[in-house]
Amino acid sequence: EDGTGASFAGVFETKLGVSPEGLEAAVRACFASVFDHRVFSYAGAHKPAFAATVMEMVDAATAGVAFSANPLNSDLDEMLVDAGYGLGESVVDGSIVADRFVWDKVGGRLLESKVGSKAQEVRLAADGGVEVRRVGAERQAVRSLSDEQLRQLAALVAAVEGAYGRPMDTEWAYTEAGELRLLQARPVTTLHPL
């Protein structure tokens, strides 16, 4: 999906909650998205290669993205996190106003916290696929991540950055049981250090 110089995140088709019986059709639909106008418009001179990744679904209670360096100000000492309830799909596709956190990687503390509206959550459907559920006003007003969860996430994201030796854009999820899972990682392509 991504390289070190360009991110194709959200351009190719993604299928969530696929049953074993629907796997072949889902892979075919993902492959067909290579020929979508969005790919040609974004790619320009790039010639993206394609491979479908099949992963076990994590039925997330909370999920989102975490950048090991803040892409908004190019600060390498800050981690930027966007989070919402349920699967991370609603965070990455922009269908909610996610909670936003800025974490000081050096001092190990929360610098900024903005609670988003998080008006809906995407959850796995019992019969396969996903369903969109409304989030009540009371729950919308609550932060989706505690300070302790942010501390755990910061440690995981720092380990990913250390393994790759560069700032990374990660997707992660906390399960209903409170387990933190790394879903994917790719290089941050929007940093402009001074």
Side-chain angles (χ1 to χ4, degrees):
E1 184 174 73
D2 303 306
T4 56
S7 172
F8 284 82
V11 176
F12 295 112
E13 185 71 23
T14 299
K15 298 292 184 182
L16 303 173
V18 176
S19 67
E21 301 78 30
L23 184 58
E24 181 181 348
V27 170
R28 288 179 183 275
C30 292
F31 178 75
S33 71
V34 170
F35 304 104
D36 189 278
H37 68 89
R38 295 175 300 169
V39 174
F40 291 113
S41 295
Y42 180 77
H46 299 285
K47 294 189 177 167
F50 180 85
T53 302
V54 178
M55 299 169 40
E56 178 183 354
M57 277 299 302
V58 174
D59 192 10
T62 304
V65 297
F67 296 87
S68 70
N70 189 338
L72 301 179
N73 61 11
S74 297
D75 191 329
L76 301 176
D77 293 331
E78 293 178 356
M79 176 182 75
L80 178 74
V81 178
D82 285 341
Y85 298 125
L87 304 179
E89 183 72 7
S90 56
V91 174
V92 298
D93 73 9
S95 61
I96 65 165
V97 177
D99 291 347
R100 175 159 287 169
F101 306 96
V102 178
W103 185 264
D104 177 358
K105 293 169 23 182
V106 176
R109 63 186 179 90
L110 186 61
L111 296 174
E112 185 179 320
S113 174
K114 290 183 184 173
V115 177
S117 59
K118 305 178 298 294
Q120 66 185 29
E121 63 181 323
V122 178
R123 298 301 298 249
L124 292 178
D127 58 346
V130 295
E131 61 187 12
V132 177
R133 299 178 189 167
R134 301 289 310 152
V135 174
E138 196 171 297
R139 193 163 164 235
Q140 288 180 37
V142 176
R143 280 177 36 183
S144 56
L145 292 172
S146 68
D147 283 357
E148 181 54 32
Q149 287 173 314
L150 284 165
R151 194 177 293 34
Q152 292 173 347
L153 182 57
L156 175 65
V157 172
V160 172
E161 181 180 66
Y164 284 93
R166 63 177 303 136
M168 298 297 289
D169 169 359
T170 65
E171 292 185 27
W172 54 270
Y174 272 100
T175 67
E176 291 289 352
E179 297 172 349
L180 176 58
R181 304 275 182 91
L182 176 66
L183 305 177
Q184 68 176 7
R186 59 184 161 260
V188 176
T189 58
T190 56
L191 288 180
H192 305 288
L194 298 175

